[in-house]
Amino acid sequence: MEPKVAVIGATGAVGDVFLRVAEERNFPVARLKLLATARSAGRRLTFRGEEIEVEETSEAALADSDIVFCSATSEASRKWGPVVRERGGIMIDDGSAYRMEANVPLVVPEVNGDDLEWHEGIVSIPNCTTTPLVMALAAIRTVAPLTRVTAATYQAVSGSGAGAVRELDAQLRAYGRGEPVPAPEVYPHQIALNVLPQVDTFDEDGFTKEEAKMRNETRKILHQPDLPFAATCVRVPTFVGHAEAVHVELAHDFDLGAVREAIGQQAGLELMDDPANSVYPTPLNTAGDDRAFVGRLRVDPSIEHGVIFWCVSDNLRKGAATNAIQIAEELIRRGKL
Ligand code: A2P
């Protein structure tokens, strides 16, 4: 099946990677519409060697699309999701707008692809920190049930979009020239040469929305609605690649070798773990790769049945564009378009 495809947010940080991943994976496309705001209308982007003009997102532009990928804003998702659904298409949405809705599957195909069976026209992809985490947790729980998860993240600025990438770049360049660093516009503080313990805005319980997303999405994808979970999400001055230090408590005793083996066997996950030779994943040595990576795997001696690991994935790829395209591939394979 060759679907007619539209991409809302084609000019953004994820949109750009989306086009490259679709080319690399030879994703079948009968017709491609590239959509954004009126600001970008008329820009030309290249797909498979062909220049395509960006259009303003509209009902007419979405009219006969089978699959609409949306990586724009929550407002755009909320506005266009119902339009796509009513016209019989499927929206694969990268935003948080629909993720926790009961009739919207939230999917990492290697973990809960079966949830695609009950979609009603909108499928959400998880937050870019949730995706690698649930892949590792899904592998570990084949060894022993999960009873508690805590995590600290180290998230790249591209997770906040192209504007944040420009902000870090401008700050680093100014610093390098010995000039005053430009005032922040995207973040509440300077991000260059700094780390910010704030990703998204704060809720009344003291957690950020990003931390709440990680918790709620992990529970939904793993079908463990009561899993004890707490995270601290931190923005760091890297361009691409989200890293996480994760501490997991298991229900019973386990063999670390079995955990290692389970991670090695999990589709889409790669073990990169040879600490004696300083081999472990970093944002730089995993950028541009579609897999998620795990390293620094070890027993947590501070609790009874604990395991600690470090994971990294390219937030624009497996954290966003690649996962979205894999969902579309899986929908086609299952005849669920
Ligand atoms: P535009 O480039 O015209 O502003 P990023 O996450 O890198 O900031 O990119 C966001 C993407 O979403 C851009 O392509 C942006 O288009 C697009 N976008 C933002 N708001 C809307 C909207 N209301 N409708 C459609 N596309 C939107």
Side-chain angles (χ1 to χ4, degrees), residues 114-146:
D114 286 347
D115 285 344
L116 290 173
E117 294 292 331
W118 48 266
H119 83 77
E120 295 177 9
I122 297 177
V123 176
S124 281
I125 75 165
N127 186 275
C128 38
T129 49
T130 307
T131 302
L133 176 66
V134 294
M135 293 170 81
L137 294 178
I140 293 171
R141 78 169 173 184
T142 64
V143 176
L146 314 171

Side-chain angles (χ1 to χ4, degrees), residues 7-15 35-41 43 54-57 70-77 79-80 158-166:
V7 181
I8 303 176
T11 53
V14 172
L35 308 175
T37 68
R39 287 187 292 274
S40 304
R43 266 186 67 187
V54 176
E55 297 172 46
E56 182 178 2
T57 312
C70 184
S71 186
T73 59
S74 285
E75 297 72 49
S77 301
K79 182 168 180 188
W80 301 116
S158 55
S160 316
V165 171
R166 287 192 294 273

Side-chain angles (χ1 to χ4, degrees), residues 7-27 29 32 34 43 45-48 69-71 94 125 128 156-159 161-162 165 239-241 286-291 313-326 329:
V7 181
I8 303 176
T11 53
V14 172
D16 177 49
V17 175
F18 180 88
L19 297 180
R20 302 294 77 82
V21 175
E23 287 175 340
E24 289 163 18
R25 297 179 74 91
N26 214 11
F27 182 74
V29 175
L32 181 62
L34 300 181
R43 266 186 67 187
L45 302 175
T46 306
F47 182 66
R48 296 195 174 134
F69 294 98
C70 184
S71 186
D94 183 26
I125 75 165
C128 38
V157 297
S158 55
V165 171
F239 286 107
V240 174
T286 58
D289 200 300
D290 283 318
R291 297 166 294 178
S313 78
D314 184 322
N315 55 301
L316 300 175
R317 283 188 171 250
K318 187 56 191 171
T322 303
N323 201 54
I325 291 176
Q326 287 174 318
E329 290 169 344

Side-chain angles (χ1 to χ4, degrees), residues 94-101 106 124-125 127 213 217 220:
D94 183 26
S96 59
Y98 300 105
R99 285 182 190 143
M100 296 314 296
E101 291 193 5
L106 178 64
S124 281
I125 75 165
N127 186 275
K213 282 182 236 169
E217 294 174 19
K220 179 170 176 173

Side-chain angles (χ1 to χ4, degrees), residues 11-325:
T11 53
V14 172
D16 177 49
V17 175
F18 180 88
L19 297 180
R20 302 294 77 82
V21 175
E23 287 175 340
E24 289 163 18
R25 297 179 74 91
N26 214 11
F27 182 74
V29 175
R31 187 230 61 204
L32 181 62
K33 287 222 179 251
L34 300 181
L35 308 175
T37 68
R39 287 187 292 274
S40 304
R43 266 186 67 187
R44 303 182 82 82
L45 302 175
T46 306
F47 182 66
R48 296 195 174 134
E50 200 186 309
E51 285 206 338
I52 301 176
E53 193 167 307
V54 176
E55 297 172 46
E56 182 178 2
T57 312
S58 66
E59 285 204 29
L62 292 169
D64 62 345
S65 294
D66 303 305
I67 302 180
V68 176
F69 294 98
C70 184
S71 186
T73 59
S74 285
E75 297 72 49
S77 301
R78 290 240 169 255
K79 182 168 180 188
W80 301 116
V83 172
V84 174
R85 177 152 54 185
E86 273 152 33
R87 286 171 184 258
I90 294 184
M91 178 184 269
I92 300 176
D93 187 36
D94 183 26
S96 59
Y98 300 105
R99 285 182 190 143
M100 296 314 296
E101 291 193 5
N103 63 346
V104 174
L106 178 64
V107 174
V108 177
E110 299 94 329
V111 175
N112 64 330
D114 286 347
D115 285 344
L116 290 173
E117 294 292 331
W118 48 266
H119 83 77
E120 295 177 9
I122 297 177
V123 176
S124 281
I125 75 165
N127 186 275
C128 38
T129 49
T130 307
T131 302
L133 176 66
V134 294
M135 293 170 81
L137 294 178
I140 293 171
R141 78 169 173 184
T142 64
V143 176
L146 314 171
T147 55
R148 178 170 178 253
V149 177
T150 59
T153 70
Y154 305 73
Q155 301 182 221
V157 297
S158 55
S160 316
V165 171
R166 287 192 294 273
E167 180 154 307
L168 174 59
D169 186 61
Q171 291 178 355
L172 288 175
R173 283 174 194 278
Y175 179 82
R177 290 190 299 260
E179 294 170 1
V181 171
E185 289 176 12
V186 174
Y187 295 116
H189 303 279
Q190 176 180 319
I191 183 66
L193 312 167
N194 207 0
V195 294
L196 309 180
Q198 177 183 359
V199 178
D200 210 327
T201 53
F202 287 94
D203 286 328
E204 278 178 4
D205 62 2
F207 285 88
T208 60
K209 293 207 160 41
E210 184 86 348
E211 291 157 358
K213 282 182 236 169
M214 239 179 128
R215 178 191 63 226
N216 298 337
E217 294 174 19
T218 299
R219 289 170 171 172
K220 179 170 176 173
I221 295 165
L222 295 178
H223 302 167
Q224 259 190 270
D226 301 319
L227 178 67
F229 187 103
T232 299
C233 291
V234 181
R235 189 72 66 189
V236 299
T238 54
F239 286 107
V240 174
H242 288 355
E244 305 172 30
V246 185
H247 296 232
V248 183
E249 205 170 325
L250 299 172
H252 53 69
D253 210 3
F254 63 94
D255 171 30
L256 191 65
V259 173
R260 194 176 293 281
E261 202 178 312
I263 288 173
Q265 284 174 357
Q266 168 66 46
L269 198 60
E270 191 71 19
L271 194 64
M272 190 191 273
D273 195 21
D274 179 9
N277 290 304
S278 298
V279 173
Y280 38 72
T282 70
L284 285 184
N285 69 12
T286 58
D289 200 300
D290 283 318
R291 297 166 294 178
F293 293 81
V294 170
R296 301 287 324 274
L297 184 65
R298 59 210 193 272
V299 168
D300 182 350
S302 72
I303 51 172
E304 209 177 350
H305 311 298
V307 63
I308 301 175
F309 64 92
W310 169 253
C311 70
V312 185
S313 78
D314 184 322
N315 55 301
L316 300 175
R317 283 188 171 250
K318 187 56 191 171
T322 303
N323 201 54
I325 291 176

